[in-house]
Amino acid sequence: MELKNPIIISSSGLTESAERNQRFYEAGAGAIVLKSLFEEQIMLEADWLGDPTMYPEGSDYLVEYLREHKLSEYLALIEETKKVCHIPVIASINCYHDAEWEEFAGKIEEAGADAIEINILALQTNLQTQYGVFEQRHIDILRHIKEKVSIPVIMKLGDNLTNPVALIDQLAAGGAAGVVLFNRFYQPDIDIERIKHITGNVLSTEMELARTLRWVGIASGTVNNIDYAASGGIHSLGALVKVLLAGASAAEMCSVFYKQDAKSLINEYTGFLQQWMERQGMQSIAQFKGMLNVKDVKDINMFERTQFMKYFSGKQ
Ligand SMILES: Cc1cc2nc3c(=O)[nH]c(=O)nc-3n(C[C@H](O)[C@H](O)[C@H](O)COP(=O)(O)O)c2cc1C
């Protein structure tokens, strides 16, 4: 996909209505990822309604109705957004199981989405789960969705993978057009006075940028037949330049748009990028994309270990 600039409005409540999406388009966004359609949202509600003790006669019918209803709401969001936004509109599905769920992908394509982003965000806590099963699920889901659609399929990964680079390599081989590093988990916290669980920071901070830079830098230096979008901790004008230098083609940004008006923000980011490129004599993003990725991955562990030693040996 060609974007007019590398700023993508990342999937969240911000992109759940066509009116808001139109404002992002008018503010100058390069692309928009719609709020995710969650597998659980449909399946849990469907399970509940499908309980035969509650609705003895019509349970199957209700399950089917609910699924279709949720899906048609989402398809309407795609159609309405496409009418008012003349930039790529990416649908997002959050799925956990490799199941019939993938049928929905075909309908999403028919509704006019320019691409589909899949996120398989889940913690792995089951004692019986074998190593690698979770990663394999990504590959299986991608394969099944690719069988249903011809638009680009983008995989948005969590940061809880044993070896993201090996997985990305397999996803590229499986035909994924791009990967997004990374999705953001719900952040738990504890209130020590009330002695109870509470929600931690909903929005990211710039502290999260280092993790994004590390993995975009390592993965893009190794697997270069797939596009990367960086997501997580982009909170300053320079951070956008940094993720491009690390190897990303675009940035999926979310938290900053919860805090500041989109029009001024996008103007500031694109203006800064333009000025920086002029200052550095760069004609296009392609000229510097990945200039600072990690070229020699074989030495990455040694590099990390020596840097770590240097860093902490000075700390009293
Ligand atoms: C309130 C909120 C809701 C989000 N909802 C979704 C979602 O539905 N689907 C998704 O793929 N990512 C979702 N995300 C993750 C963001 O799209 C983004 O990848 C993440 O927040 C990192 O970017 P940031 O540091 O710019 O916020 C959400 C994030 C926030 C803060």
Side-chain angles (χ1 to χ4, degrees):
M1 277 184 296
E2 287 279 323
L3 306 190
K4 65 179 175 189
N5 68 56
I7 299 178
I8 301 177
I9 314 298
S10 201
S11 175
S12 77
L14 290 171
T15 56
E16 71 183 358
S17 80
E19 296 78 54
R20 286 181 120 176
N21 294 336
Q22 182 173 8
R23 270 183 256 142
F24 283 120
Y25 161 65
E26 287 168 358
I32 292 173
V33 187
L34 301 177
K35 169 82 186 151
S36 296
L37 179 62
F38 280 81
E39 174 181 347
E40 280 90 342
Q41 243 174 358
I42 294 184
M43 297 307 176
L44 283 182
E45 286 181 49
D47 276 357
W48 182 76
L49 280 177
D51 182 349
T53 56
M54 299 194 69
Y55 298 98
E57 275 122 50
S59 61
D60 287 348
Y61 165 74
L62 277 168
V63 169
E64 205 43 47
Y65 169 77
L66 187 80
R67 283 179 41 164
E68 288 304 318
H69 179 68
K70 282 270 171 205
L71 181 63
S72 58
E73 268 179 8
Y74 199 70
L75 299 179
L77 173 65
I78 298 170
E79 283 162 12
E80 295 304 314
T81 300
K82 279 299 294 177
K83 274 188 213 151
V84 290
C85 299
H86 309 294
I87 48 175
V89 172
I90 302 164
S92 165
I93 45 184
N94 174 286
C95 47
Y96 182 62
H97 295 103
D98 180 28
E100 52 176 333
W101 173 252
E102 291 137 7
E103 294 291 335
F104 295 166
K107 297 193 174 164
I108 283 174
E109 177 172 32
E110 281 164 29
D114 295 289
I116 298 185
E117 188 175 282
I118 310 292
N119 61 81
I120 311 166
L121 195 67
L123 293 177
Q124 296 309 296
T125 52
N126 190 327
L127 287 180
Q128 268 74 47
T129 304
Q130 301 267 320
Y131 300 107
V133 167
F134 182 52
E135 285 75 6
Q136 185 59 42
R137 198 180 308 147
H138 288 69
I139 297 161
D140 294 341
I141 288 176
L142 170 68
R143 188 177 66 248
H144 289 136
I145 289 185
K146 288 279 301 170
E147 282 164 10
K148 302 277 179 323
V149 299
S150 54
I151 51 177
V153 181
I154 300 158
M155 302 298 285
K156 184 173 188 182
L157 306 182
D159 65 350
N160 57 333
L161 299 157
T162 310
N163 179 347
V165 185
L167 176 59
I168 293 167
D169 189 37
Q170 299 219 36
L171 294 175
V179 279
V180 184
L181 305 179
F182 290 103
N183 207 331
R184 182 175 163 76
F185 283 94
Y186 156 82
Q187 305 289 306
D189 199 359
I190 286 177
D191 180 331
I192 58 168
E193 296 308 327
R194 292 190 296 153
I195 314 192
K196 64 191 284 244
H197 292 288
I198 54 171
T199 304
N201 287 339
V202 175
L203 302 181
S204 70
T205 69
E206 60 186 341
M207 298 290 289
E208 287 163 47
L209 179 67
R211 179 194 60 165
T212 309
L213 288 178
R214 163 177 287 141
W215 286 108
V216 169
I218 293 175
S220 69
T222 318
V223 184
N224 54 19
N225 53 349
I226 191 164
D227 281 331
Y228 292 84
S231 193
I234 301 170
H235 282 254
S236 68
L237 304 179
L240 176 62
V241 179
K242 289 181 192 182
V243 297
L244 299 174
L245 281 168
S249 302
E252 288 200 0
M253 295 160 59
C254 172
S255 294
V256 283
F257 290 112
Y258 272 99
K259 295 188 192 153
Q260 210 183 314
D261 167 63
K263 193 163 179 60
S264 58
L265 209 53
I266 294 173
N267 273 339
E268 282 173 36
Y269 273 90
T270 50
F272 180 86
L273 177 61
Q274 194 71 41
Q275 284 162 16
W276 179 87
M277 285 172 64
E278 278 163 22
R279 217 168 46 238
Q280 300 289 336
M282 304 289 183
Q283 317 297 323
S284 68
I285 291 179
Q287 227 178 316
F288 66 94
K289 187 179 86 177
M291 200 179 239
L292 297 185
N293 65 13
V294 178
K295 306 239 164 23
D296 191 355
V297 276
K298 287 206 204 84
D299 278 340
I300 187 76
N301 278 331
M302 193 43 76
F303 174 76
E304 286 278 323
R305 286 170 65 84
T306 42
Q307 292 303 104
F308 185 81
M309 275 190 304
K310 267 195 232 157
Y311 184 71
F312 285 103
S313 59
K315 283 253 174 243
Q316 299 302 317

